[in-house]
Amino acid sequence: NISSVPFSSLSDQISEKTLNAIADMGFQHMTNIQTEALPALLTGKDAVVCSKTGSGKTLTFLITAVELLHKLKFTLRNGLGVVILSPTRELSLQTYNVLKQLIKYHSQSHGLIMGGVNRKEEAKKLSNGVNILVATPGRLVDHLKNTPEFVFKNNQCLIIDEADRVLDIGFEEEVKFIINSLPKYRQNLLISATITDKTEGLANAFLRKTALYLGINKSPENGKIRSMATVETLRQGYVLCPSEKRLLMLLWFLRKKFRTRKTIVFFSSVMSVKYHHDLFNYINLTCSCIHGQQKQEIRARNFSQFCKAVTGVLLCTDIVGRGLDIPKVDWIVQFDPPNNPKEYIHRVGRTARGMNLVGNALLMLRPEEMKFIAYLKKEKVELEYYEFTWNKVPDEVEAQREIEELVTKNYYLNALAKGAFTSYIRAYRSHYMKQVFKEETLDLTAVAKSFGYPRIPCKIT
């Protein structure tokens, strides 16, 4: 991932101020995608930049943005010069924090706007003039429509980070509005670790015909863009576990790791995250969580604390599965299956990021879900089979009985468990890959056991 080419080799294209900031951040040599992309992007070309997670895409587009406005000598009165769109608040915040480090020797202004924070304060800052803006799509549309003093007629560049995710989570109309509201003559960049048909459609619709496709392989069969797979320093494996033993297996794994390793566990629903978070903390397995129903300040606090932690467990939904750079994560556990191979790639991209860093990924599948491995293989993702022997788990029958007793007697945990059980079935029912994840293969009594119930707790409608 790291090339032998230093950033200083681009001193004719990158200003001394930016090079000094990059050095302060601890970077001397470029990654492979930076070596390929930066010389072209710094000349103002439109591009799709697609490379593996953790490969340095964020710094690539931020250097492009900062240098563009530095060369144009942008000031407050020029207003908006560069927009960086992000799909989630967490990714927006993280991108903005990197931007602040990179731009510190420059005079250009910068800002962050996103849902969940004070809109009036944002409007005031935009009215005063923000040269580089990091934004979530919905909040940017709000200000474009309703903040009259917001000057965006001089915009020079639009960057859409995690472009496939922006479209996947339903921001298509907002993106179209933003594209049509900003000046037509500008540089456009689409950034992602994977490329979907929707992203390709967007690229064809609003990039110039001379746009570059960087870090991308095209399939020799049909000329379509191929998704990038995972980094070589990531060790990936899967275990097969029947429904009724899933919770016990996860508990056994986390008890072994939580004091010495940094682990992220992915679930399919908010309710499942809430239930497992409260259950684990109740039985003295300390963990934190991030999901979409938390207030912004709680999400930001939990994210920041886990970033700083050396060890620990973070339970989350796919809100954490995109772009976020969490330092030194040792393990990614996918307790609930991802929606497709692309989501798998993004989830495991939270580990083995940056220079010479290794990571581990564990996918937990029911025996009936084995077909998913073949679909991953098609995307050039090879997983090792980890055989698990249940004699490693002491007193598994007693452990299951204790959990069932706790869930039955504790009113609050019981309510959460019921919600999590229902959400799991519904997530399975609406799964994108119905050819693999078939609802009729679920034994509901066995599934109930994985949520701490001896029998099916409620009817699923």
Side-chain angles (χ1 to χ4, degrees):
N1 189 25
I2 302 297
S3 73
S4 58
V5 183
F7 279 101
S8 56
S9 67
L10 293 178
S11 57
D12 58 330
Q13 287 183 286
I14 301 177
S15 65
E16 190 178 344
K17 289 177 179 179
T18 301
L19 288 173
N20 288 340
I22 292 168
D24 289 351
M25 293 163 78
F27 300 119
Q28 291 183 319
H29 293 89
M30 290 186 272
T31 64
N32 293 330
I33 190 62
Q34 288 162 353
T35 306
E36 181 185 354
L38 276 170
L41 300 187
L42 289 165
T43 63
K45 286 185 167 38
D46 281 12
V48 175
V49 182
C50 178
S51 74
K52 302 169 186 179
T53 55
S55 60
K57 297 186 294 295
T58 302
L59 199 57
T60 303
F61 69 71
L62 287 178
I63 290 170
T64 305
V66 169
E67 285 304 296
L68 173 62
L69 298 196
H70 168 72
K71 283 166 189 156
L72 293 171
K73 296 183 169 58
F74 245 65
T75 62
L76 278 175
R77 66 184 177 81
N78 296 122
L80 187 65
V82 176
V83 176
I84 300 162
L85 282 186
S86 286
T88 66
R89 300 171 193 175
E90 284 74 23
L91 185 55
S92 299
L93 193 56
Q94 184 174 278
T95 301
Y96 184 59
N97 286 334
V98 178
L99 171 63
K100 285 193 290 186
Q101 293 177 68
L102 189 65
I103 205 169
K104 67 181 181 180
Y105 296 123
H106 291 272
S107 59
Q108 279 72 37
S109 61
H110 47 80
L112 168 67
I113 60 171
M114 59 186 186
V117 297
N118 190 310
R119 192 199 172 283
K120 281 186 181 177
E121 287 298 316
E122 289 178 348
K124 186 178 175 185
K125 187 160 189 179
L126 291 173
S127 301
N128 291 335
V130 172
N131 298 147
I132 302 183
L133 182 67
V134 181
T136 51
R139 184 52 68 95
L140 179 57
V141 167
D142 180 5
H143 284 292
L144 288 171
K145 287 179 176 178
N146 303 313
T147 304
E149 296 83 13
F150 180 19
V151 177
F152 52 87
K153 65 181 180 182
N154 299 316
N155 180 256
Q156 303 293 314
C157 180
L158 172 61
I159 299 166
I160 305 180
D161 191 18
E162 296 291 351
D164 56 338
R165 181 66 172 160
V166 169
L167 298 176
D168 279 353
I169 59 179
F171 283 125
E172 263 181 281
E173 291 308 310
E174 285 85 349
V175 169
K176 282 178 190 170
F177 181 85
I178 291 162
I179 288 168
N180 293 327
S181 299
L182 297 176
K184 188 177 176 184
Y185 297 102
R186 59 173 188 263
Q187 184 177 16
N188 299 293
L189 304 179
L190 290 186
I191 317 292
S192 191
T194 57
I195 296 290
T196 63
D197 289 343
K198 274 186 181 179
T199 323
E200 232 180 313
L202 181 64
N204 293 334
F206 96 107
L207 297 187
R208 285 175 278 194
K209 287 179 183 174
T210 54
L212 302 172
Y213 285 77
L214 303 166
I216 291 171
N217 298 322
K218 291 214 174 189
S219 165
E221 297 87 37
N222 56 20
K224 285 187 78 67
I225 296 167
R226 288 189 61 84
S227 297
M228 304 302 288
T230 51
V231 293
E232 292 78 10
T233 54
L234 175 63
R235 188 183 175 204
Q236 303 172 81
Y238 69 96
V239 290
L240 297 177
C241 179
S243 289
E244 66 273 16
K245 293 187 175 183
R246 276 163 39 86
L247 180 56
L248 291 180
M249 181 179 275
L250 181 61
L251 270 171
W252 173 84
F253 180 87
L254 293 180
R255 284 196 192 283
K256 284 194 70 174
K257 307 288 182 191
F258 86 108
R259 293 191 196 281
T260 58
R261 297 285 185 270
K262 196 168 180 178
T263 304
I264 298 176
V265 186
F266 282 96
F267 296 86
S268 60
S269 72
V270 170
M271 285 306 300
S272 212
V273 171
K274 286 180 176 179
Y275 164 63
H276 288 91
H277 171 264
D278 286 22
L279 173 67
F280 292 170
N281 281 292
Y282 195 93
I283 59 177
N284 296 321
L285 198 163
T286 307
C287 60
S288 59
C289 69
I290 293 178
H291 57 75
Q293 289 181 8
Q294 287 170 321
K295 288 184 178 177
Q296 179 57 30
E297 58 266 28
I298 294 171
R299 270 164 62 175
R301 185 191 67 211
N302 289 354
F303 175 68
S304 175
Q305 286 174 350
F306 190 70
C307 283
K308 291 171 187 170
V310 178
T311 64
V313 176
L314 178 70
L315 312 183
C316 61
T317 56
D318 279 315
I319 202 166
V320 175
R322 292 303 187 106
L324 293 182
D325 192 6
I326 301 172
K328 296 182 180 175
V329 174
D330 299 294
W331 278 92
I332 299 294
V333 179
Q334 303 195 46
F335 185 64
D336 291 335
N339 221 21
N340 50 46
K342 179 168 65 79
E343 284 303 329
Y344 173 91
I345 291 166
H346 281 289
R347 283 177 172 188
V348 299
R350 298 317 97 217
T351 187
R353 297 175 71 83
M355 293 184 285
N356 308 314
L357 290 179
V358 296
N360 301 278
L362 177 67
L363 175 64
M364 289 178 63
L365 293 174
R366 297 164 52 245
E368 298 86 350
E369 299 166 346
M370 257 294 289
K371 256 196 215 170
F372 187 59
I373 300 301
Y375 284 91
L376 288 172
K377 209 167 184 178
K378 280 183 188 172
E379 295 296 327
K380 304 203 171 185
V381 178
E382 298 274 353
L383 271 68
E384 192 181 335
Y385 173 55
Y386 296 156
E387 195 161 357
F388 185 81
T389 52
W390 281 95
N391 58 18
K392 289 180 179 179
V393 181
D395 303 321
E396 63 169 281
V397 175
E398 180 60 20
Q400 179 70 29
R401 189 193 63 75
E402 285 176 4
I403 290 170
E404 288 175 9
E405 196 174 302
L406 174 61
V407 169
T408 304
K409 287 181 177 177
N410 186 308
Y411 176 82
Y412 182 66
L413 276 178
N414 195 304
L416 285 177
K418 201 173 286 185
F421 169 78
T422 306
S423 295
Y424 175 80
I425 304 297
R426 285 179 180 155
Y428 218 90
R429 195 176 278 170
S430 62
H431 203 285
Y432 180 75
M433 298 184 71
K434 287 186 168 61
Q435 69 275 31
V436 176
F437 303 97
K438 300 173 183 176
E439 188 187 355
E440 60 267 27
T441 66
L442 291 176
D443 176 342
L444 293 189
T445 303
V447 172
K449 279 189 167 295
S450 73
F451 289 92
Y453 286 111
R455 62 191 66 83
I456 300 169
C458 57
K459 205 171 182 179
I460 309 293
T461 53

